[in-house]
Amino acid sequence: MPVTDPAEKARALYEARRTRVPIPPFTDADPSLGMADGYAIQQELVPLLLADGDRVVGHKVGLTSLAMQRMIGVDSPDYGPVLASTMFRDGDEIPLSRFIQPKVEAEILFVLGERLAGPGVSVLDARRAVAGAVAGMEIVDSRIEDWRIKLADTVADLASNGAFAMSSRVVPLDELDPRLVGMTLTRNGELVDTGAGAAALGDPVAVVAWLANVLGENGVALEPGHVIMTGALHAAVPMSAGDVFRAEFDRLGPVTIRVVEGD
C-alpha cells in the first residue's frame, strides 16, 4: 500500500532541516515503507526547498557500491537532487552548525556537457555527454535520528545528502578511465581510507547512464552544467570542527575542506 501522507512526512523532513533537530525514522511507524514511498516523500520535499529560493544544480547517486547495497538490503542505487545551497569549492570552510550528524565521503563527480535524457541511455552515450570528471567530497547527513535509516528513510531525505565540495579542475574523459582512478583520503594529514573509481557500479560513467534512464522514466533529463555525484569510494568518516579533509585522486588532483564550528 503506497504511503498515505507523503506531504506530511516531507514537511517533517523540511522542519528537521530547518531546525537541525532530527526526527524518528518513518519506517519505525510503518516498516512496510519502501523505495517508491521514499521517492513519493522526496517529490513533496523538493518543492518546499525550492520555494525558499534554492535551485537544483545536479543529482547525487548513492548506494553505488555492493557493500552499501548489502548493508541497506537493496540491489539498486538511490538518487536525489543536489541543491545550489549545498555547494562548496576546494579549500572552503564548511560550518559544522549546518548539519546534524555529518560524515565525509570522497567520490568522483562529473559535469555534464550535453543534455542527457533516458530511457535508452548507454554507458557510451553517458561518456559522450560528460564534459569531464572532478575531484569531490560529499558531506552526507541524515535528518533521521542516529542514522537509523532504512531505504525509504534515506530516499525521502534526498538520499542523505548534506553538502558537497568540488575542485575547479575538470578533466575530460578522453584523458582517463574513471574506473581506474585511485583515491586517498586524509584527515589532519593522517590517512583515513583509500578507494578506486570502480567501486561505483564498476564504472562511475555507468552511474550517469543509470541515473539518466531512471529520471527519464519520469520525464526528467540531466542538463548541461549539472553536477553528478557518483557515490562514495570508501566508508563514510565522521567529521568534527577543526578537521581538515583532503582527498587526492589520480589524474584529477586534490580537493580539501576545512571544518569549522559555525557560520
Side-chain angles (χ1 to χ4, degrees):
M1 180 177 177
V3 60
T4 56
D5 55 351
E8 180 181 335
K9 287 180 167 59
R11 174 60 65 173
L13 280 173
Y14 175 84
E15 289 300 324
R17 285 171 168 264
R18 186 182 66 81
T19 63
R20 308 289 190 262
V21 177
I23 60 176
F26 298 134
T27 52
D28 274 5
D30 187 353
S32 71
L33 294 176
M35 181 176 280
D37 302 304
Y39 284 122
I41 299 166
Q42 184 186 117
Q43 288 170 7
E44 296 285 346
L45 173 60
V46 173
L48 297 177
L49 300 172
L50 298 184
D52 288 338
D54 222 329
R55 60 188 176 86
V56 174
V57 295
H59 293 81
K60 73 155 287 185
V61 183
L63 306 178
T64 55
S65 72
L66 287 176
M68 286 300 298
Q69 289 180 10
R70 288 168 181 159
M71 186 178 79
I72 299 291
V74 298
D75 58 3
S76 173
D78 67 349
Y79 66 89
V82 173
L83 303 175
S85 64
T86 69
M87 179 186 293
F88 291 87
R89 296 293 180 180
D90 180 26
D92 278 355
E93 293 185 343
I94 297 187
L96 196 65
S97 60
R98 290 186 51 160
F99 309 101
I100 297 173
Q101 43 200 346
K103 301 179 182 182
V104 173
E105 298 177 345
E107 53 191 85
I108 295 171
L109 277 54
F110 291 126
V111 176
L112 265 289
E114 300 176 7
R115 190 172 190 269
L116 193 62
V121 172
S122 68
V123 173
L124 182 58
D125 294 331
R127 189 177 183 91
R128 289 169 175 162
V130 167
V134 180
M137 276 189 272
E138 180 181 12
I139 294 90
V140 292
D141 194 20
S142 183
R143 275 54 62 168
I144 304 299
E145 292 175 348
D146 302 321
W147 277 101
R148 292 189 298 113
I149 54 172
K150 294 184 180 177
L151 184 59
D153 303 305
T154 185
V155 169
D157 192 20
L158 305 191
S160 299
N161 178 245
F164 71 103
M166 60 188 294
S167 169
S168 60
R169 182 185 181 195
V170 181
V171 180
L173 296 193
D174 58 7
E175 297 181 14
L176 80 162
D177 183 341
R179 299 173 301 174
L180 305 181
V181 171
M183 178 280 306
T184 60
L185 178 69
T186 60
R187 177 175 53 199
N188 304 327
E190 296 185 1
L191 182 66
V192 175
D193 215 334
T194 62
L201 283 189
D203 182 351
V205 181
V207 175
V208 179
W210 177 88
L211 178 64
N213 287 325
V214 171
L215 290 178
E217 294 174 359
N218 299 316
V220 177
L222 303 180
E223 302 293 346
H226 270 184
V227 176
I228 309 300
M229 306 168 65
T230 61
L233 304 182
H234 61 94
V237 181
M239 57 186 261
S240 302
D243 284 340
V244 177
F245 286 95
R246 181 179 176 89
E248 297 188 59
F249 294 79
D250 180 40
R251 308 296 295 277
L252 302 181
V255 59
T256 301
I257 61 171
R258 304 174 188 278
V259 186
V260 297
E261 190 66 52
D263 293 329

